[in-house]
Amino acid sequence: MRLHVIARGKLGRSPEAELVDRYAKRIAWPLKLTELPDVGGTVPASPTPNREVLLDERGRQLSSEEFAALLGRWRDEGVREARFLIGAADGHGAAARDKADLLLAFGAMTWPHLLARALLMEQLWRATSILAGHPYHRSG
């Protein structure tokens, strides 16, 4: 299953970009990163079947193990692409939230969208590592 992170805004050369790149290199699954302008631009088409996850402060909070299990279940069900959408500073509209398969939150706090991208990449790396059987320090 391919992981596809679609984010509004450009990281450019920044500490956040370095973190995203560091985790992108560690993820063993196929990975695609797409940046869109803050306003406008269209979300690229996706292979089917897919799952669409929006990062949203109203979303579900999952543990790393729960997130890994979800990705593993989708992979085992034959999902070809899991898409993770990170909105601009104002987040996502109601129509996008209604269409999503999952709204995902990184806690109750509001995170800048550039940091949210680095947090997502770290959790994707952690989830794929858990699924590969690497020991996870909080398991057991």
Side-chain angles (χ1 to χ4, degrees):
M1 178 173 74
R2 178 169 74 171
L3 305 172
H4 189 174
V5 176
I6 304 166
R8 296 263 175 208
K10 302 287 185 186
L11 282 178
R13 293 179 185 247
S14 65
E16 295 90 354
E18 291 176 23
L19 280 172
V20 167
D21 187 52
R22 179 183 309 164
Y23 287 111
K25 289 176 182 173
R26 293 180 182 179
I27 296 172
W29 291 20
L31 173 70
K32 182 175 182 179
L33 303 172
T34 301
E35 289 186 328
L36 298 173
D38 283 336
V39 177
T42 58
V43 174
S46 175
T48 55
N50 68 23
R51 295 293 180 273
E52 197 161 282
V53 178
L54 268 61
L55 271 63
D56 188 278
E57 61 191 7
R58 292 160 277 215
R60 286 180 51 201
Q61 296 179 42
L62 302 174
S63 70
S64 295
E65 289 93 345
E66 290 168 332
F67 186 55
L70 177 67
L71 292 181
R73 186 171 64 249
W74 288 348
R75 176 200 59 197
D76 296 347
E77 290 172 354
V79 171
R80 294 186 57 194
E81 182 175 87
R83 299 158 59 88
F84 299 87
L85 284 79
I86 301 173
D90 292 334
H92 302 284
R97 284 192 304 274
D98 290 344
K99 187 179 108 174
D101 295 292
L102 173 67
L103 300 180
L104 180 66
F106 291 139
M109 294 179 176
T110 300
W111 293 94
H113 65 283
L114 296 179
L115 271 181
R117 198 176 315 185
L119 289 168
L120 174 61
M121 293 298 291
E122 193 279 340
Q123 285 300 302
L124 289 171
W125 165 75
R126 189 173 299 274
T128 56
S129 295
I130 291 168
L131 290 169
H134 294 287
Y136 177 59
H137 72 283
R138 296 208 183 258
S139 294

